[in-house]
mmCIF file of all heavy atoms in Angstrom:
data_model
loop_
_atom_site.group_PDB
_atom_site.id
_atom_site.type_symbol
_atom_site.label_atom_id
_atom_site.label_comp_id
_atom_site.label_asym_id
_atom_site.label_seq_id
_atom_site.Cartn_x
_atom_site.Cartn_y
_atom_site.Cartn_z
ATOM 1 N N SER A 2 -11.602 5.240 12.258
ATOM 2 C CA SER A 2 -10.357 5.550 12.874
ATOM 3 C C SER A 2 -9.190 5.120 11.985
ATOM 4 O O SER A 2 -9.331 4.194 11.169
ATOM 5 C CB SER A 2 -10.186 4.932 14.233
ATOM 6 O OG SER A 2 -9.962 3.475 14.097
ATOM 7 N N ALA A 4 -6.459 3.556 12.909
ATOM 8 C CA ALA A 4 -6.035 2.217 13.179
ATOM 9 C C ALA A 4 -6.930 1.205 12.398
ATOM 10 O O ALA A 4 -6.397 0.246 11.963
ATOM 11 C CB ALA A 4 -6.158 1.970 14.695
ATOM 12 N N ARG A 6 -8.408 1.758 9.534
ATOM 13 C CA ARG A 6 -8.074 1.887 8.116
ATOM 14 C C ARG A 6 -6.754 1.127 7.864
ATOM 15 O O ARG A 6 -6.669 0.356 6.910
ATOM 16 C CB ARG A 6 -7.890 3.328 7.730
ATOM 17 C CG ARG A 6 -7.549 3.536 6.251
ATOM 18 C CD ARG A 6 -7.458 4.934 5.869
ATOM 19 N NE ARG A 6 -8.643 5.706 6.298
ATOM 20 C CZ ARG A 6 -8.897 6.911 5.910
ATOM 21 N NH1 ARG A 6 -8.049 7.542 5.087
ATOM 22 N NH2 ARG A 6 -9.964 7.564 6.356
ATOM 23 N N ILE A 7 -5.778 1.359 8.688
ATOM 24 C CA ILE A 7 -4.484 0.633 8.550
ATOM 25 C C ILE A 7 -4.726 -0.890 8.605
ATOM 26 O O ILE A 7 -4.107 -1.613 7.807
ATOM 27 C CB ILE A 7 -3.461 1.125 9.676
ATOM 28 C CG1 ILE A 7 -3.051 2.464 9.392
ATOM 29 C CG2 ILE A 7 -2.307 0.131 9.732
ATOM 30 C CD1 ILE A 7 -2.070 2.679 8.253
ATOM 31 N N GLU A 8 -5.513 -1.309 9.542
ATOM 32 C CA GLU A 8 -5.789 -2.776 9.690
ATOM 33 C C GLU A 8 -6.522 -3.359 8.452
ATOM 34 O O GLU A 8 -6.214 -4.418 7.943
ATOM 35 C CB GLU A 8 -6.565 -3.099 10.981
ATOM 36 C CG GLU A 8 -6.723 -4.558 11.243
ATOM 37 C CD GLU A 8 -5.336 -5.285 11.341
ATOM 38 O OE1 GLU A 8 -4.343 -4.706 11.836
ATOM 39 O OE2 GLU A 8 -5.237 -6.515 10.919
ATOM 40 N N ARG A 9 -7.383 -2.569 7.922
ATOM 41 C CA ARG A 9 -8.165 -3.017 6.690
ATOM 42 C C ARG A 9 -7.150 -3.087 5.503
ATOM 43 O O ARG A 9 -7.227 -4.011 4.679
ATOM 44 C CB ARG A 9 -9.306 -2.064 6.368
ATOM 45 C CG ARG A 9 -10.496 -2.244 7.338
ATOM 46 C CD ARG A 9 -11.617 -1.273 7.056
ATOM 47 N NE ARG A 9 -12.042 -1.327 5.643
ATOM 48 C CZ ARG A 9 -12.304 -0.318 4.822
ATOM 49 N NH1 ARG A 9 -12.165 0.878 5.244
ATOM 50 N NH2 ARG A 9 -12.731 -0.466 3.627
ATOM 51 N N LEU A 14 -4.023 -6.618 1.844
ATOM 52 C CA LEU A 14 -2.714 -6.994 1.265
ATOM 53 C C LEU A 14 -2.325 -8.416 1.694
ATOM 54 O O LEU A 14 -1.791 -9.161 0.837
ATOM 55 C CB LEU A 14 -1.664 -5.931 1.653
ATOM 56 C CG LEU A 14 -1.886 -4.550 1.016
ATOM 57 C CD1 LEU A 14 -0.830 -3.634 1.570
ATOM 58 C CD2 LEU A 14 -1.838 -4.662 -0.478
ATOM 59 N N LEU A 23 5.442 -7.230 5.205
ATOM 60 C CA LEU A 23 4.523 -6.198 4.965
ATOM 61 C C LEU A 23 4.762 -5.038 5.947
ATOM 62 O O LEU A 23 4.562 -5.150 7.115
ATOM 63 C CB LEU A 23 3.100 -6.673 5.088
ATOM 64 C CG LEU A 23 1.953 -5.589 4.806
ATOM 65 C CD1 LEU A 23 2.092 -4.973 3.464
ATOM 66 C CD2 LEU A 23 0.643 -6.266 5.005
ATOM 67 N N ASP A 27 1.398 5.185 7.701
ATOM 68 C CA ASP A 27 0.440 6.255 7.423
ATOM 69 C C ASP A 27 1.173 7.605 7.373
ATOM 70 O O ASP A 27 1.750 7.927 8.371
ATOM 71 C CB ASP A 27 -0.661 6.263 8.454
ATOM 72 C CG ASP A 27 -1.736 7.329 8.098
ATOM 73 O OD1 ASP A 27 -1.558 8.154 7.221
ATOM 74 O OD2 ASP A 27 -2.774 7.300 8.774
ATOM 75 N N HIS A 32 0.760 15.446 4.719
ATOM 76 C CA HIS A 32 0.093 16.003 3.648
ATOM 77 C C HIS A 32 -1.118 16.877 4.041
ATOM 78 O O HIS A 32 -2.030 17.180 3.253
ATOM 79 C CB HIS A 32 -0.428 14.923 2.637
ATOM 80 C CG HIS A 32 0.711 14.137 2.144
ATOM 81 N ND1 HIS A 32 1.441 14.483 0.987
ATOM 82 C CD2 HIS A 32 1.354 12.981 2.592
ATOM 83 C CE1 HIS A 32 2.441 13.573 0.804
ATOM 84 N NE2 HIS A 32 2.402 12.636 1.784
ATOM 85 N N HIS A 35 -3.135 19.447 1.911
ATOM 86 C CA HIS A 35 -3.037 19.064 0.524
ATOM 87 C C HIS A 35 -4.487 18.727 -0.005
ATOM 88 O O HIS A 35 -5.374 18.231 0.747
ATOM 89 C CB HIS A 35 -2.188 17.805 0.404
ATOM 90 C CG HIS A 35 -2.038 17.195 -0.994
ATOM 91 N ND1 HIS A 35 -2.840 16.247 -1.362
ATOM 92 C CD2 HIS A 35 -1.217 17.518 -1.980
ATOM 93 C CE1 HIS A 35 -2.515 15.816 -2.619
ATOM 94 N NE2 HIS A 35 -1.482 16.703 -2.975
ATOM 95 N N GLY A 37 -5.755 16.418 -1.757
ATOM 96 C CA GLY A 37 -6.188 15.027 -1.543
ATOM 97 C C GLY A 37 -6.501 14.639 -0.142
ATOM 98 O O GLY A 37 -7.166 13.624 0.116
ATOM 99 N N ALA A 38 -5.906 15.423 0.822
ATOM 100 C CA ALA A 38 -6.128 15.103 2.241
ATOM 101 C C ALA A 38 -7.456 15.638 2.669
ATOM 102 O O ALA A 38 -8.012 15.201 3.759
ATOM 103 C CB ALA A 38 -4.989 15.633 3.017
ATOM 104 N N ASP A 40 -10.434 15.252 1.561
ATOM 105 C CA ASP A 40 -11.642 14.389 1.409
ATOM 106 C C ASP A 40 -11.610 13.265 2.402
ATOM 107 O O ASP A 40 -12.365 12.418 2.376
ATOM 108 C CB ASP A 40 -11.783 13.902 -0.029
ATOM 109 C CG ASP A 40 -10.630 12.991 -0.489
ATOM 110 O OD1 ASP A 40 -9.750 12.684 0.348
ATOM 111 O OD2 ASP A 40 -10.596 12.640 -1.645
ATOM 112 N N GLY A 41 -10.594 13.204 3.338
ATOM 113 C CA GLY A 41 -10.489 12.275 4.348
ATOM 114 C C GLY A 41 -9.694 10.982 3.928
ATOM 115 O O GLY A 41 -9.454 10.072 4.700
ATOM 116 N N ALA A 55 6.938 -12.356 -8.533
ATOM 117 C CA ALA A 55 8.006 -13.031 -9.388
ATOM 118 C C ALA A 55 7.679 -12.966 -10.839
ATOM 119 O O ALA A 55 6.536 -13.212 -11.311
ATOM 120 C CB ALA A 55 8.130 -14.545 -8.932
ATOM 121 N N LEU A 58 7.071 -7.073 -13.990
ATOM 122 C CA LEU A 58 7.713 -5.742 -14.056
ATOM 123 C C LEU A 58 7.024 -4.867 -13.000
ATOM 124 O O LEU A 58 5.957 -5.133 -12.484
ATOM 125 C CB LEU A 58 7.441 -5.101 -15.438
ATOM 126 C CG LEU A 58 8.157 -5.863 -16.577
ATOM 127 C CD1 LEU A 58 7.730 -5.252 -17.924
ATOM 128 C CD2 LEU A 58 9.692 -5.845 -16.430
ATOM 129 N N ALA A 68 -5.053 -3.915 -7.017
ATOM 130 C CA ALA A 68 -6.106 -4.904 -7.127
ATOM 131 C C ALA A 68 -6.386 -5.484 -5.737
ATOM 132 O O ALA A 68 -7.585 -5.733 -5.420
ATOM 133 C CB ALA A 68 -5.672 -6.032 -8.140
ATOM 134 N N ALA A 69 -5.403 -5.776 -4.932
ATOM 135 C CA ALA A 69 -5.625 -6.320 -3.584
ATOM 136 C C ALA A 69 -6.326 -5.361 -2.721
ATOM 137 O O ALA A 69 -7.199 -5.741 -1.928
ATOM 138 C CB ALA A 69 -4.267 -6.726 -2.975
ATOM 139 N N LEU A 72 -11.596 -1.448 -3.625
ATOM 140 C CA LEU A 72 -12.350 -0.207 -3.508
ATOM 141 C C LEU A 72 -11.704 0.798 -2.589
ATOM 142 O O LEU A 72 -11.954 1.991 -2.550
ATOM 143 C CB LEU A 72 -13.771 -0.518 -3.082
ATOM 144 C CG LEU A 72 -14.702 -0.983 -4.196
ATOM 145 C CD1 LEU A 72 -16.079 -1.304 -3.657
ATOM 146 C CD2 LEU A 72 -14.753 -0.042 -5.347
ATOM 147 N N MET A 74 -8.906 1.958 -2.671
ATOM 148 C CA MET A 74 -8.145 2.953 -3.477
ATOM 149 C C MET A 74 -9.121 4.095 -3.809
ATOM 150 O O MET A 74 -8.543 5.204 -4.059
ATOM 151 C CB MET A 74 -7.569 2.301 -4.753
ATOM 152 C CG MET A 74 -6.409 1.366 -4.526
ATOM 153 S SD MET A 74 -5.050 2.139 -3.692
ATOM 154 C CE MET A 74 -4.544 3.414 -4.822
ATOM 155 N N ALA A 80 -3.158 8.413 -1.927
ATOM 156 C CA ALA A 80 -1.928 8.196 -2.481
ATOM 157 C C ALA A 80 -1.165 7.055 -1.769
ATOM 158 O O ALA A 80 -1.326 6.941 -0.549
ATOM 159 C CB ALA A 80 -1.083 9.441 -2.452
ATOM 160 N N MET A 81 -0.404 6.284 -2.501
ATOM 161 C CA MET A 81 0.351 5.223 -1.893
ATOM 162 C C MET A 81 1.702 5.069 -2.639
ATOM 163 O O MET A 81 1.828 4.933 -3.826
ATOM 164 C CB MET A 81 -0.424 3.875 -1.994
ATOM 165 C CG MET A 81 0.367 2.737 -1.347
ATOM 166 S SD MET A 81 -0.618 1.331 -1.126
ATOM 167 C CE MET A 81 -1.563 1.801 0.427
ATOM 168 N N SER A 82 2.749 5.182 -1.786
ATOM 169 C CA SER A 82 4.115 4.920 -2.211
ATOM 170 C C SER A 82 4.361 3.419 -2.073
ATOM 171 O O SER A 82 4.195 2.861 -0.913
ATOM 172 C CB SER A 82 5.114 5.735 -1.461
ATOM 173 O OG SER A 82 6.450 5.296 -1.631
ATOM 174 N N ILE A 83 4.725 2.739 -3.128
ATOM 175 C CA ILE A 83 4.836 1.213 -3.151
ATOM 176 C C ILE A 83 6.262 0.762 -3.431
ATOM 177 O O ILE A 83 6.854 1.188 -4.393
ATOM 178 C CB ILE A 83 3.894 0.652 -4.121
ATOM 179 C CG1 ILE A 83 2.448 1.015 -3.871
ATOM 180 C CG2 ILE A 83 4.058 -0.863 -4.152
ATOM 181 C CD1 ILE A 83 1.449 0.646 -4.932
ATOM 182 N N VAL A 84 6.779 -0.071 -2.537
ATOM 183 C CA VAL A 84 7.984 -0.823 -2.903
ATOM 184 C C VAL A 84 7.492 -2.295 -2.886
ATOM 185 O O VAL A 84 7.056 -2.768 -1.828
ATOM 186 C CB VAL A 84 9.104 -0.684 -1.767
ATOM 187 C CG1 VAL A 84 10.237 -1.612 -2.085
ATOM 188 C CG2 VAL A 84 9.591 0.788 -1.814
ATOM 189 N N ALA A 85 7.588 -2.945 -4.068
ATOM 190 C CA ALA A 85 7.095 -4.284 -4.187
ATOM 191 C C ALA A 85 8.267 -5.226 -4.641
ATOM 192 O O ALA A 85 8.792 -4.980 -5.719
ATOM 193 C CB ALA A 85 6.004 -4.280 -5.261
ATOM 194 N N GLY A 89 13.602 -12.966 -3.022
ATOM 195 C CA GLY A 89 14.975 -13.024 -3.389
ATOM 196 C C GLY A 89 15.564 -11.567 -3.577
ATOM 197 O O GLY A 89 16.655 -11.276 -3.135
ATOM 198 N N SER A 93 18.553 -9.645 -1.104
ATOM 199 C CA SER A 93 19.822 -9.172 -1.697
ATOM 200 C C SER A 93 20.064 -7.704 -1.375
ATOM 201 O O SER A 93 21.117 -7.214 -1.779
ATOM 202 C CB SER A 93 19.861 -9.442 -3.210
ATOM 203 O OG SER A 93 18.898 -8.618 -3.817
#
Side-chain angles (χ1 to χ4, degrees):
S2 75
R6 182 180 307 193
I7 289 284
E8 188 55 35
R9 286 179 56 226
L14 293 173
L23 177 57
D27 184 348
H32 300 274
H35 178 266
D40 64 6
L58 295 173
L72 286 177
M74 288 302 299
M81 180 166 283
S82 169
I83 301 170
V84 174
S93 67

